[in-house]
Amino acid sequence: MDRINEFAFKIATANGTGSASANGLIMQAIFRMGVPVTGKNVFPSNIQGLPTWYEIRVNRHGYTARTPHFDLLVAMNPATYEKDVAEVRSGGWLVYDSTWPLDPRLARPDVQYLGIPLAEMCNAQFSAIRERILMKNIAYAGALAALLDMDTDIIRALLDEKFGKKPALMESNRKAVSLGSDYARTHFQCPLPIRLEPMDKTKDSILIDGNTAAALGCVYAGATVGAWYPITPATSVMEAFKGFCQKYRREPETGRNRFAILQAEDELAAIGMVIGASWAGARAFTPTAGPGISLMSEFIGLAYYAEVPAVIFDVQRTGPSTGMPTRTQQGDLMLCAYASHGDTRHICLYPADPREAFEFAAASFDLAERYQTPVFVLSDLDIGMNDWMVPALTWDDTYRPDRGKVLTPEELEHVTTFFRYLDPDGDGIPYRTLPGMSPKGAYFTRGSGHNRFGFYTEDGDEYVDVVDRIDRKIQHAARAVPVPLVRTVAGAKIGLVTVGGCHAACVEALDLFAQEGVAIDYLRVRGFPFSADVASFLESHEVNFVVEQNRDGQLRSLLMLETGVAVEKLQSVRYYGGFPMSAHHVVSAVKAKLEKAA
């Protein structure tokens, strides 16, 4: 029985062989056929030649979570043949390079083997060694086009777009696509029972990764300064920001840059640059990952206590220490919420996909300046570096930056004496000034003990007065961070709670539970400090399953600490092996806990 627009396949290659272009071609072709698709890149953190995989899920319902089940596998790396063969679903297909014979021990009676002499064909058609390697990848893309019934006109159009100004490359890629496609059509029954048919479910969507989307959000928010130290998986945030700035932040007449991007000597220096630029009035940010947050902690405390805006993007990866730099996790929830020594609490935003990475990036600068404090945007490697199908990004052209309580020179003229840390409005937020605007606005920025007037102090009561006010303003931010996403169904006594990139898996899991008649309400936390809605949701259910990607249940711990909800109402559902969460993980874990409770 045919399965149309509902299957998954995986491509196994070696790092550095140029397979990314072929995999991107396949993804784009499926997307342009109007079929919902998502891609997950599993790549090594070390040297060229190590194994890498690209997973593509086609799903007519639009589910975008990773699936651990693969109907077809393209095995291009002999070093991983054994592992790759084992991952094919029973009844599935294995495409391999038959230029060399396959070890008979890898045979599985429940898998169909489709051998294509890719290297042999490319060696005969192309002369340069590097070209042979690259075109072998394009040839397997051509074979998949025939096997899965991709629209070849779309593939040609994509090649035209990419290589239109390079005729030689255009011809090589077209030839390679034809080599793979012609061989598959000649030797196998095409298409396979898993195949594609055109749909119209992508016309209002785009394919984009979260790091690019976040960088674009920074541009739209008016950020002009970026400082960073390169780190996987966050570096491409700054690379994308640089590209956008070179296109949109350069004076056309003079060629003068209207932006500043600085590569620091380490993460501590990077956040120091951001704090300095923000203090001076620029909208500034730094992208990093967990190890970077650890190094930045002292300066983060300075910005919190001295009340200087700063935006920090934490594209989370697997820790601790160096961990697995190219695997995903949500291991920094506690770290960012309370970063630095002493008593701190920070505003955190938790996007679930690239669209929210764009939206929350823009919102983070408003929050940082409104509350005069560091703001963290916690993405992860899966969101940041993988290809997601999301609704097209939109923007309100009437948007104007919220700079918060910044006194203008005209306003300062009516002030007898300016005191930086006074709270005349009673909302915990003092007024600030920007350097160089007026002599009356001058003040000393103190990271040491200071009182409400900005003077140095070691008096306990004066210290408590300031830190309690700071805490009060941060707690008030619970009303300003993105509201939690809540879905309820009639009769549900169980809640499912999650954060960030687990959303896709949870949405699919909820639908699977609904098909079995299990009623579950849903809450996705999108900001910290938590709003009152979060505590109300938790209290209204007999038990809440907290889904997250870390070993220690950090979201669960935050919920217990910040809401006061009884521990027995919060049950952990965790997966932290470095791969994105799947609906299978959620469903199996929740069922096991329900059966144990029964």
Side-chain angles (χ1 to χ4, degrees):
M1 181 178 178
D2 285 4
R3 271 194 290 126
I4 299 170
N5 297 340
E6 195 161 350
F7 56 90
F9 59 102
K10 189 171 185 175
I11 300 164
T13 59
N15 194 37
T17 57
S19 58
S21 294
N23 300 337
L25 178 68
I26 295 165
M27 274 279 293
Q28 287 281 353
I30 296 171
F31 178 78
R32 292 201 184 182
M33 289 180 67
V35 181
V37 62
T38 189
K40 306 292 185 187
N41 192 17
V42 182
F43 60 102
S45 59
N46 291 341
I47 58 174
Q48 179 173 315
L50 291 180
T52 184
W53 293 268
Y54 195 74
E55 304 170 357
I56 296 179
R57 183 182 184 185
V58 177
N59 186 272
R60 57 191 174 88
H61 302 292
Y63 294 131
T64 57
R66 179 179 184 261
T67 176
H69 308 296
F70 301 101
D71 303 284
L72 181 148
L73 205 142
V74 180
M76 298 293 292
N77 184 5
T80 62
Y81 272 178
E82 185 174 356
K83 175 182 175 66
D84 297 334
V85 169
E87 288 200 332
V88 183
R89 189 199 293 261
S90 181
W93 297 264
L94 183 88
V95 175
Y96 70 99
D97 188 348
S98 60
T99 302
W100 302 277
L102 199 64
D103 189 331
R105 292 174 295 179
L106 297 175
R108 277 180 56 186
D110 59 336
V111 171
Q112 295 187 47
Y113 289 74
L114 308 177
I116 303 175
L118 295 165
E120 180 183 322
M121 293 191 300
C122 289
N123 289 345
Q125 294 294 323
F126 304 104
S127 56
I129 294 176
R130 182 61 179 169
E131 186 181 33
R132 289 172 173 175
I133 295 172
L134 295 175
M135 290 306 109
K136 188 167 68 169
N137 297 322
I138 303 300
Y140 76 62
L144 288 174
L147 293 168
L148 304 178
D149 210 10
M150 291 184 212
D151 189 326
T152 53
D153 289 337
I154 290 176
I155 293 176
R156 292 191 191 96
L158 287 167
L159 293 175
D160 288 344
E161 291 173 17
K162 188 170 185 178
F163 302 113
K165 296 181 180 180
K166 300 176 181 178
L169 283 174
M170 166 84 75
E171 180 58 29
S172 295
N173 278 267
R174 283 191 168 186
K175 182 187 291 186
V177 168
S178 295
L179 283 174
S181 178
D182 292 347
Y183 188 94
R185 294 185 192 283
T186 301
H187 294 84
F188 312 122
Q189 184 175 350
C190 294
L192 299 175
I194 53 169
R195 61 187 180 86
L196 298 160
E197 275 189 5
M199 299 179 73
D200 63 351
K201 288 196 172 183
T202 65
K203 61 182 179 181
D204 297 320
S205 299
I206 59 172
L207 285 177
I208 191 171
D209 65 84
N211 284 355
T212 300
L216 191 60
C218 294
V219 172
Y220 271 78
T224 56
V225 176
W228 97 115
Y229 183 77
I231 186 170
T232 302
T235 294
S236 59
V237 175
M238 195 59 76
E239 291 172 345
F241 181 72
K242 178 183 177 182
F244 290 132
C245 285
Q246 288 174 335
K247 187 171 183 179
Y248 300 112
R249 289 262 166 81
R250 184 171 279 166
E251 292 180 351
E253 298 83 7
T254 65
R256 182 185 177 191
N257 290 336
R258 306 298 294 177
F259 64 94
I261 296 175
L262 304 98
Q263 180 175 330
E265 61 268 32
D266 54 36
E267 288 88 350
L268 183 60
I271 188 61
M273 294 172 181
V274 168
I275 293 168
S278 298
W279 173 84
R283 287 196 149 185
F285 72 98
T286 184
T288 189
I293 302 294
S294 298
L295 291 172
M296 293 177 184
S297 290
E298 184 174 355
F299 264 154
I300 291 169
L302 168 65
Y304 173 85
Y305 191 28
E307 300 181 72
V308 181
V311 172
I312 304 163
F313 291 91
D314 180 7
V315 188
Q316 299 170 92
R317 71 188 207 187
T318 303
S321 188
T322 304
M324 296 190 292
T326 59
R327 298 291 183 266
T328 196
Q329 206 173 71
Q330 294 173 323
D332 302 343
L333 302 182
M334 295 287 286
L335 173 65
C336 291
Y338 306 116
S340 199
H341 58 279
D343 293 317
T344 57
R345 183 180 283 105
H346 301 294
I347 297 171
C348 299
L349 309 183
Y350 309 113
D353 58 32
R355 185 186 188 188
E356 285 192 341
F358 168 75
E359 295 170 346
F360 291 5
S364 66
F365 291 94
D366 283 350
L367 289 167
E369 294 201 297
R370 187 186 311 167
Y371 292 96
Q372 302 171 24
T373 195
V375 171
F376 292 86
V377 182
L378 282 81
S379 175
D380 59 44
L381 184 145
D382 180 32
I383 296 171
M385 295 192 71
N386 281 327
D387 299 310
W388 290 66
M389 189 187 89
V390 296
L393 307 182
T394 58
W395 185 254
D396 181 1
D397 287 334
T398 65
Y399 166 82
R400 295 295 179 270
D402 180 355
R403 305 305 305 270
K405 293 183 175 181
V406 181
L407 293 175
T408 66
E410 294 75 22
E411 290 170 327
L412 282 166
E413 286 300 318
H414 302 287
V415 175
T416 303
T417 305
F418 172 67
F419 295 110
R420 173 66 177 92
Y421 298 114
L422 281 178
D423 179 19
D425 300 330
D427 59 1
I429 306 173
Y431 286 84
R432 66 186 178 114
T433 60
L434 301 181
M437 301 297 287
S438 169
K440 294 189 71 174
Y443 67 94
F444 194 87
T445 304
R446 290 190 181 276
S448 58
H450 55 269
N451 61 21
R452 64 174 63 188
F453 303 107
F455 300 138
Y456 178 81
T457 187
E458 293 188 15
D459 180 89
D461 291 339
E462 289 186 326
Y463 166 80
V464 168
D465 175 58
V466 171
V467 295
D468 283 358
R469 174 189 55 75
I470 293 174
D471 185 57
R472 187 165 67 252
K473 77 171 182 179
I474 300 299
Q475 294 287 12
H476 287 170
R479 300 193 293 263
V481 299
V483 299
L485 176 70
V486 178
R487 283 174 38 179
T488 58
V489 294
K493 297 180 180 180
I494 300 170
L496 193 70
V497 182
T498 196
V499 66
C502 297
H503 174 64
C506 287
V507 168
E508 185 176 352
L510 287 169
D511 288 349
L512 293 172
F513 278 120
Q515 292 170 15
E516 297 179 6
V518 180
I520 302 179
D521 289 339
Y522 180 57
L523 178 141
R524 174 163 62 87
V525 173
R526 303 202 301 165
F528 177 84
F530 302 131
S531 69
D533 292 339
V534 173
S536 297
F537 181 95
L538 300 176
E539 291 287 8
S540 66
H541 295 89
E542 294 177 357
V543 64
N544 299 277
F545 294 102
V546 184
V547 180
E548 53 188 310
Q549 293 189 90
N550 55 71
R551 185 195 67 185
D552 295 337
Q554 294 183 29
L555 176 60
R556 179 174 179 265
S557 295
L558 274 176
L559 292 169
M560 286 191 295
L561 285 169
E562 298 288 337
T563 68
V565 172
V567 61
E568 57 267 19
K569 281 182 173 283
L570 302 173
Q571 294 286 321
S572 276
V573 172
R574 294 159 294 151
Y575 171 76
Y576 45 91
F579 293 100
M581 181 81 76
S582 73
H584 171 77
H585 291 133
V586 179
V587 171
S588 58
V590 170
K591 281 186 174 180
K593 289 180 178 292
L594 288 173
E595 289 170 3
K596 184 177 180 180

